[in-house]
Amino acid sequence: MSDVILQAKDVSFSYKDRFVLKNIELSFTKNKFYGILGPNGSGKSTLLDVLLGFSLPDKGEVFLRGIDIRRYKKTDIAKLVAYIPQSYEINFPFTVDEIVLMGRYPYIRRFSFPSETDFKIVEKVEREIDIYNFRHRLITELSGGETQRVMVARVLAQDALLTLLDEPTSNLDIKHSLRILELFKKKVIQEDKTVICVFHNINEAAYFCDEVVFLKQGKVIDFGPVGEVLTKKNLEMVFEIKAKVYFEEELGCPQVIFKSV
């Protein structure tokens, strides 16, 4: 059986007459942490929408476990794929517990109640994400960073085979950013999960990812292992900045120093 869990074949997508993605060819295999990098407007968030089946491509196909994603029922996709968008708005005053428990809904039969296992999973991820102490508070009363941690906890509670993240730590401090990315990395290593994450911080991507995709103007510029594609040439071409790439012995991965042109 193929290890490919998600694949985009010759995918193009446009808004009206403006192309956003052009001839995308990507294959993601299980048990890896992938990063998507690129400047603003390069199509990163749109790529996630197309990979999830939220937006249908003008050309090409997306396959989830070898099956056209359009053939899946939404309930079946929810058991396989979890997602954190770049922005979200929750106006109804759910408690933190209720929001995190929503991650278990794909596994709860209609008209049934959550099981003891569901509640144990919710408590576990709340403690891991450091939100357990305010689990009874209303989501509408939380700060932006606290809300983001709750949304991450909901995705972790879903325990999907594949997780897509769109800048999941953008509102977080360094401590919580590293903790969350470490949790997803742990799932990749210990549970054979696959994570695809849009990063703003290139050095974080270099540290946590196995492979990275460079996007620019809707096209894949390069895709492969971090040590091979995180190069001075690629960084300067994609981001139009001066860059120096060096190997950080203590971290065991490449890191980047930037300088404006």
Side-chain angles (χ1 to χ4, degrees):
M1 186 174 179
S2 173
D3 285 340
V4 175
I5 184 172
L6 188 65
Q7 186 175 28
K9 286 189 174 182
D10 195 26
V11 165
S12 294
F13 179 83
S14 62
Y15 291 115
K16 295 183 179 180
D17 59 348
R18 182 175 66 88
F19 270 99
V20 182
L21 301 173
K22 303 175 185 178
N23 308 118
I24 301 294
E25 291 274 356
L26 293 169
S27 291
F28 303 98
T29 61
K30 67 179 182 180
N31 195 216
K32 283 190 178 181
F33 197 131
Y34 294 93
I36 300 177
L37 300 169
N40 294 340
S42 60
K44 301 185 296 297
S45 295
T46 302
L47 176 59
L48 293 192
D49 283 344
V50 171
L51 291 175
L52 286 159
F54 293 165
S55 298
L56 298 179
D58 301 315
K59 184 183 73 169
E61 297 167 301
V62 175
F63 295 91
L64 176 61
R65 301 183 83 180
I67 300 172
D68 191 319
I69 199 166
R70 292 171 292 187
R71 293 174 56 188
Y72 280 90
K73 296 179 181 178
K74 290 183 179 179
T75 51
D76 292 332
I77 290 180
K79 293 177 182 178
L80 294 172
V81 185
Y83 172 55
I84 299 179
Q86 189 177 76
S87 59
Y88 36 78
E89 190 171 337
I90 304 175
N91 295 318
F92 194 86
F94 293 106
T95 66
V96 169
D97 263 345
E98 289 170 331
I99 293 288
V100 180
L101 186 60
M102 290 177 188
R104 302 301 304 161
Y105 282 6
Y107 309 100
I108 301 172
R109 297 181 65 181
R110 193 177 183 186
F111 304 124
S112 298
F113 293 100
S115 67
E116 183 179 350
T117 297
D118 294 318
F119 287 117
K120 285 182 178 179
I121 290 172
V122 167
E123 179 178 344
K124 178 176 180 291
V125 297
E126 286 178 345
R127 291 185 182 279
E128 288 176 331
I129 300 298
D130 194 23
I131 61 173
Y132 184 75
N133 289 339
F134 56 85
R135 64 193 183 279
H136 299 309
R137 288 175 59 188
L138 300 179
I139 192 74
T140 50
E141 298 175 351
L142 303 183
S143 68
E146 289 170 336
T147 300
Q148 193 162 28
R149 282 152 57 196
V150 173
M151 303 308 290
V152 169
R154 183 176 73 171
V155 161
L156 287 169
Q158 190 173 339
D159 195 32
L161 185 66
L162 169 65
T163 302
L164 280 71
L165 310 168
D166 197 347
E167 298 190 24
T169 61
S170 57
N171 292 318
L172 302 182
D173 57 40
I174 295 173
K175 172 187 172 182
H176 287 107
S177 294
L178 293 177
R179 177 59 179 156
I180 284 169
L181 292 171
E182 284 168 356
L183 285 170
F184 282 112
K185 184 70 173 181
K186 181 179 177 181
K187 281 188 167 291
V188 169
I189 295 171
Q190 297 183 0
E191 301 177 27
D192 286 340
K193 306 293 189 182
T194 301
V195 175
I196 303 172
C197 181
V198 171
F199 279 89
H200 177 73
N201 187 312
I202 296 174
N203 283 327
E204 278 187 356
Y207 180 62
F208 286 101
C209 293
D210 300 298
E211 299 188 20
V212 295
V213 179
F214 277 114
L215 278 184
K216 185 176 184 181
Q217 296 178 346
K219 296 181 180 179
V220 174
I221 302 301
D222 208 350
F223 175 37
V226 171
E228 296 179 13
V229 303
L230 191 67
T231 64
K232 180 177 184 293
K233 179 182 177 182
N234 278 341
L235 290 166
E236 293 185 354
M237 176 171 55
V238 172
F239 294 99
E240 299 178 9
I241 46 86
K242 292 293 183 183
K244 177 183 178 181
V245 181
Y246 68 99
F247 189 83
E248 175 54 60
E249 295 286 348
E250 188 171 343
L251 298 178
C253 68
Q255 292 287 274
V256 184
I257 299 173
F258 307 97
K259 182 180 180 182
S260 60
V261 178

